[in-house]
Amino acid sequence: MTARAPGEVGALRVAPSILSADFGRLGACVAEVDAETDWLHVDVMDGHFVPNVSLGPPVVASLRRYSNRFFDCHLMMSEPGRYLEAFARAGADGCTVHVEVGGTEGLIDQMRELGLRVGLAANPDTPFAALEPFLGRIDLALLMTVFPGFGGQSFMGEVMDKVAATRAAIDARRLAVDLEVDGGIDPATAPLAVAAGANVLVAGSAIFCRPDPLGAARALRAAAAAAR
Ligand code: DX5
Ligand code: ZN
């Protein structure tokens, strides 16, 4: 399986989150926003790390028939190591595990061995200090701007200090690491995240819950680009 390229590190990326799409017509929803999709954000919830369940590798494999974009799989799972190989086989390009679950060194090794781009996520109340030791070994830092588990929650502006600290560390060490924000991102909040240093913007409800998802994704990109 050849992984799709993530694009230039640090470039502005719009990553629609399929969690807010109509699961009964997921392929069509994904195809509809394709022209404004840099990465497709796939939220995987295990009902344990977060109080919700969503989808697994078979859905990723099915979606591969509808999109050739970079699949950015966000694993909100207590035991992601049990499923990484299945996601890689299904067509995931990058996987992101949460630092809160522990065993991070081994999970990073496992993702590298599988040829996955390596992401590490932190919840809103997890300090930068928890991510910092791994920054030199990852490709993507994902800072949650809501507590994970559900779409449609309100953006937590207080996370912007951590976004700025992470950006400062990435730049000071000249690391090839993308910085992603996830939760409550819309045309009003995206500029705040971009100004703080984020370059990958995940948005679910601000795209798929709008009457014109493609136009909404375009509006999000324009608002974010204006803040660069
Ligand atoms: C939250 C998920 C997010 C979610 C974002 O647990 O990780 O990716 O889908 O949804 P919005 O954009 O609606 O906050
Ligand atoms: Zn997510």
Side-chain angles (χ1 to χ4, degrees), residues 164-182:
T166 307
R167 169 54 63 194
I170 290 169
D171 290 350
R173 293 168 58 183
R174 297 175 188 268
L175 299 173
V177 175
D178 284 303
L179 180 48
E180 181 174 56
V181 284
D182 183 3

Side-chain angles (χ1 to χ4, degrees), residues 9-174:
V9 175
L12 182 65
R13 305 255 162 246
V14 171
S17 163
I18 62 169
L19 189 64
S20 297
D22 177 350
F23 278 19
R25 45 185 294 274
L26 204 45
C29 289
V30 165
E32 188 181 356
V33 298
D34 185 69
E36 290 291 338
T37 299
D38 297 310
W39 295 358
L40 193 71
H41 188 79
V42 179
D43 282 309
V44 179
M45 302 179 175
D46 68 351
H48 188 263
F49 180 69
V50 289
N52 197 4
V53 292
S54 57
L55 54 87
V59 175
V60 172
S62 295
L63 279 174
R64 267 289 158 230
R65 294 202 294 274
Y66 297 86
S67 172
N68 202 31
R69 300 293 178 184
F70 182 90
F71 279 9
D72 170 40
C73 297
H74 177 193
L75 306 186
M76 290 163 273
M77 315 180 84
S78 296
E79 296 189 75
R82 292 177 59 186
Y83 303 93
L84 286 168
E85 185 175 354
F87 280 105
R89 284 179 185 277
D93 299 304
C95 282
T96 298
V97 300
H98 270 261
V99 71
E100 295 86 5
V101 305
T104 304
E105 292 286 357
L107 290 169
I108 291 172
D109 290 342
Q110 200 181 339
M111 287 188 274
R112 287 272 175 242
E113 280 161 26
L114 289 165
L116 291 163
R117 204 158 184 267
V118 174
L120 189 60
N123 283 341
D125 58 354
T126 297
F128 171 64
L131 282 182
E132 198 278 333
F134 307 106
L135 270 188
R137 295 199 58 206
I138 63 177
D139 304 307
L140 171 75
L142 166 52
L143 300 182
M144 294 304 302
T145 41
V146 298
F147 282 95
F150 302 92
Q153 303 182 78
S154 296
F155 176 79
M156 297 172 66
E158 59 267 40
V159 178
M160 293 306 98
D161 286 350
K162 185 166 58 176
V163 173
T166 307
R167 169 54 63 194
I170 290 169
D171 290 350
R173 293 168 58 183
R174 297 175 188 268

